[in-house]
Amino acid sequence: MTFKRRALFAGVAMVMGLATTMPGPASAADLIAIITPSHDNPFFKAEAEGAKQRAEELGYETLVLVHDDDPNKQNQLYDTAIARGAKAIILDNAGAEATVAPVRRAKEAGIPSFLIDREIKESGIAVSQIVSNNYQGAQLGAEEFVRQMGEEGKYAELLGREADTNAGIRSSGYHDIIDQYPDMEMVAQQSANWSQTEAYEKMETILQANPDIKGVISGNDTMAMGAIAALQAAGRNDVIVVGFDGSNDVRDSILEGGIKATVLQPAYRQAQIAVEQADQYLKTGSTGQDEKQLMDCVLITADNAKQLETFALK
């Protein structure tokens, strides 16, 4: 790669806020683009790091991009990956419907997409859609939540982004368990858009309206951290909180007696598998797997939290 070309790309990256890694003498033809939501969320950061590390181990250059759950920005980043001549795209998408068009556009340009974490609304345009078994994981979390609640009491649910398929799947999994217990009463159900700040604010409001609340079940760990912070600020250390993702922050909270449980979805390994399948597909024309692939989740409690590290069990 010439100095002029390196300088040109550095300038583009600075303008667009792109993170890049370009080890060794590889050419742009060996590029894998990795596009995820914001790295402010440790789950998405782990995805990007897992994919980046595995791609580099396999000899690829990497282009790590962040769409911030903005479909328009995701479109732009897809165009960037296509223009850069990426060989493959690893994606945690910005909306099940909004993502169909850019994935199809990349396919038509000869660039295969390998999706992780979130499915899209259409089959046959991505090579792989590798997602956690969110329904199975939600049921694990709900069973533990009901147990911790003693099968009774008022509770609130914090939902993820409405455009995210996982938000609905997890909520369904929760309720297919919880609703079997007539003494469990949901007094509030609000979206906090996967955000810790929003969850803190929503939890404050919910607590004011329902001072006798006994539990909170959250669609992800980031919102669970916001909820537990608001509860602790109000001196409510008696409220049961359960999350979903398996983050180090929630692990630490569990070990400190705060949040009671979470559900681990293996973000780091999932991203690595996507890269491995991309590599195999590029070399052989097939991944050897179905397009849609599910990875089971694992319940994390005080019993096994010490084994959890960066969305993986030791």
Side-chain angles (χ1 to χ4, degrees):
M1 182 176 288
T2 66
F3 175 79
K4 182 178 179 181
R5 185 175 171 196
R6 288 182 183 274
L8 175 61
F9 179 64
V12 172
M14 184 176 297
V15 171
M16 296 188 66
L18 309 181
T20 65
T21 305
M22 301 199 300
S27 68
D30 298 317
L31 181 70
I32 288 182
I34 300 159
I35 307 175
T36 71
S38 172
H39 295 181
D40 289 344
N41 185 317
F43 181 86
F44 303 128
K45 182 178 180 181
E47 287 181 333
E49 290 177 347
K52 175 176 176 292
Q53 181 189 60
R54 190 69 183 114
E56 291 177 356
E57 288 173 353
L58 292 169
Y60 295 93
E61 296 180 7
T62 56
L63 176 64
V64 181
L65 310 173
V66 172
H67 58 55
D68 294 318
D69 280 314
D70 180 342
N72 292 325
K73 186 173 182 180
Q74 178 178 257
N75 272 328
Q76 295 168 2
L77 297 182
Y78 249 75
D79 288 341
T80 297
I82 293 169
R84 288 290 314 282
K87 267 196 164 184
I89 298 172
I90 310 298
L91 172 70
D92 190 339
N93 73 75
E97 294 183 2
T99 303
V100 170
V103 171
R104 181 183 289 115
R105 190 162 67 249
K107 181 182 179 182
E108 291 170 351
I111 303 171
S113 294
F114 300 81
L115 276 54
I116 53 176
D117 181 43
R118 302 168 175 175
E119 295 179 272
I120 57 175
K121 290 286 188 180
E122 192 167 322
S123 298
I125 54 172
V127 174
S128 297
Q129 297 195 54
I130 309 168
V131 301
S132 299
N133 192 338
N134 284 278
Y135 184 78
Q136 170 259 352
Q139 289 193 312
L140 288 178
E143 288 167 355
E144 180 63 14
F145 183 63
V146 169
R147 189 188 72 79
Q148 293 269 0
M149 291 275 290
E151 301 183 4
E152 64 179 9
K154 295 181 178 180
Y155 75 96
E157 180 185 8
L158 293 176
L159 300 164
R161 291 179 63 245
E162 292 182 6
D164 189 335
T165 304
N166 288 345
I169 293 173
R170 291 177 192 176
S171 184
S172 294
Y174 287 157
H175 284 282
D176 284 350
I177 296 297
I178 297 171
D179 294 352
Q180 297 177 40
Y181 296 85
D183 293 330
M184 296 282 293
E185 180 186 355
M186 185 171 69
V187 295
Q189 183 185 53
Q190 296 188 27
S191 172
N193 293 302
W194 305 129
S195 164
Q196 184 166 333
T197 301
E198 280 194 52
Y200 186 98
E201 295 167 352
K202 294 290 177 66
M203 192 68 247
E204 284 186 317
T205 302
I206 291 169
L207 191 57
Q208 289 171 3
N210 304 277
D212 55 348
I213 196 169
K214 186 178 175 183
V216 179
I217 192 160
S218 173
N220 78 344
D221 278 354
T222 306
M223 295 187 298
M225 288 298 294
I228 197 72
L231 289 163
Q232 290 174 342
R236 291 298 307 276
N237 297 317
D238 58 320
V239 178
I240 304 298
V241 179
V242 169
F244 195 117
D245 275 343
S247 72
N248 286 358
D249 287 340
V250 166
R251 172 203 63 194
D252 294 344
S253 180
I254 290 171
L255 293 174
E256 293 166 1
I259 292 172
K260 299 305 180 186
T262 186
V263 176
L264 167 65
Q265 52 172 340
Y268 194 89
R269 181 58 187 146
Q270 194 173 93
Q272 289 189 319
I273 289 172
V275 171
E276 290 163 4
Q277 291 189 9
D279 180 60
Q280 183 175 346
Y281 181 83
L282 292 171
K283 290 175 178 176
T284 70
S286 173
T287 66
Q289 303 289 333
D290 294 336
E291 176 184 339
K292 294 196 174 183
Q293 304 161 46
L294 289 177
M295 296 181 67
D296 279 348
C297 300
V298 179
L299 181 68
I300 303 296
T301 66
D303 293 335
N304 61 352
K306 287 183 179 179
Q307 300 171 343
L308 180 62
E309 178 60 44
T310 314
F311 301 97
L313 285 177
K314 295 178 183 176

